[in-house]
Amino acid sequence: MPHLAVQPPALPVFSTDQPDTGVRLHRVICVGRNYAEHAREMGNDPEREPPFFFFKPASAVVPSGTTIPYPPATDNLHHEAELAVLVGTGGAEIAPQAALSHVWGLAAANDLTRRDLQAEAKQMRRPWDMAKGFDNSAVLGRLHRGVDLAGDRSIRCRVDDVLRQDAPLSAMIWPVEEIIAHVSRLLTLQPGDLILTGTPAGVGPLARGQTCTVEIDGFDPATVTLA
């Protein structure tokens, strides 16, 4: 085997609720505009478009409880509370009725966004990469084994204990099984893929010194502090 000329840094291991079990991520696949009210608050009509997706690198994910520097090149960093779905078994052309069998577990997450860069990219019809995929741009809570979405679980976001976002997961336009099925028609899902399933209305700015917490009923929170 040839010697590697460049050795990239090892990706972190994220904690789970299973004893002595951790997870390394392969990539992060994000769903845009999956809650109708959020689509409307961003000036879009949720009834007229199928789901669309963008990526964050796995290296951008940090664990809950991390303090991160306020990111460069922005004056308008926003929180986006999301349900994260970890793929355990890969596949392509997955049927919706089989999709949940490909899930290893679930977690609370925060899709941090440089909103000013995103707005500029939208206006100029350019990619969102630098608005979404920057360092420390995703916060991941502890992963919970299995797929338990029974009942009407709610997702919330608090900034310094002030409630910003609050919605039932059932308000998603595309539920988890349909998201998996749709993505798997576009690419082959791999073990370690993390799917962020969209955010409800109420996204807003974060300032230096603030702490942001995403909560989903029954899961550990995803918390981050801005230095």
Side-chain angles (χ1 to χ4, degrees):
M1 181 165 181
H3 176 72
L4 288 177
V6 176
Q7 182 66 52
L11 292 175
V13 175
F14 291 92
S15 65
T16 76
D17 65 349
Q18 303 297 294
D20 302 317
T21 301
V23 168
R24 278 198 173 96
L25 303 180
H26 177 242
R27 58 190 163 185
V28 183
I29 304 164
C30 306
V31 184
R33 301 176 197 154
N34 198 29
Y35 288 78
E37 290 305 312
H38 174 59
R40 293 187 184 101
E41 78 176 346
M42 300 302 289
N44 301 287
D45 185 343
E47 305 303 326
R48 293 188 179 181
E49 55 186 30
F52 68 94
F53 306 92
F54 57 91
F55 289 101
K56 289 177 182 272
S59 59
V61 185
V62 296
S64 178
T66 302
T67 296
I68 63 173
Y70 193 91
T74 185
D75 294 314
N76 194 17
L77 180 71
H78 276 209
H79 58 78
E80 295 192 4
E82 311 217 3
L83 169 70
V85 177
L86 179 67
V87 175
T89 304
E93 300 288 342
I94 298 169
Q97 58 268 30
L100 296 184
S101 67
H102 291 258
V103 174
W104 188 91
L106 308 170
N110 195 342
D111 167 19
L112 298 175
T113 302
R114 295 195 279 206
R115 192 69 74 199
D116 42 2
L117 297 192
Q118 186 189 38
E120 180 182 345
K122 287 180 178 179
Q123 184 177 20
M124 301 183 76
R125 297 186 177 182
R126 291 178 175 173
W128 294 4
D129 299 57
M130 293 300 103
K132 288 287 192 176
F134 54 95
D135 295 343
N136 308 315
S137 62
V139 186
L140 183 62
R142 187 167 68 149
L143 287 149
H144 291 251
R145 183 78 173 97
V147 188
D148 183 4
L149 292 172
D152 202 5
R153 294 177 188 256
S154 289
I155 182 169
R156 296 174 295 278
C157 180
R158 303 179 191 274
V159 178
D160 289 343
D161 296 324
V162 176
L163 185 64
R164 293 272 191 91
Q165 295 179 270
D166 187 4
L169 292 177
S170 61
M172 286 193 289
I173 298 169
W174 300 90
V176 171
E177 55 269 33
E178 292 188 35
I179 291 170
I180 292 171
H182 197 94
V183 174
S184 74
R185 292 195 291 270
L186 299 172
L187 50 80
T188 300
L189 285 170
Q190 302 288 343
D193 282 343
L194 189 74
I195 302 174
L196 301 187
T197 57
T199 194
V203 299
L206 294 170
R208 290 174 176 84
Q210 289 187 316
T211 295
C212 182
T213 302
V214 175
E215 305 167 341
I216 298 177
D217 293 335
F219 299 157
D220 290 76
T223 299
V224 68
T225 300
L226 277 297

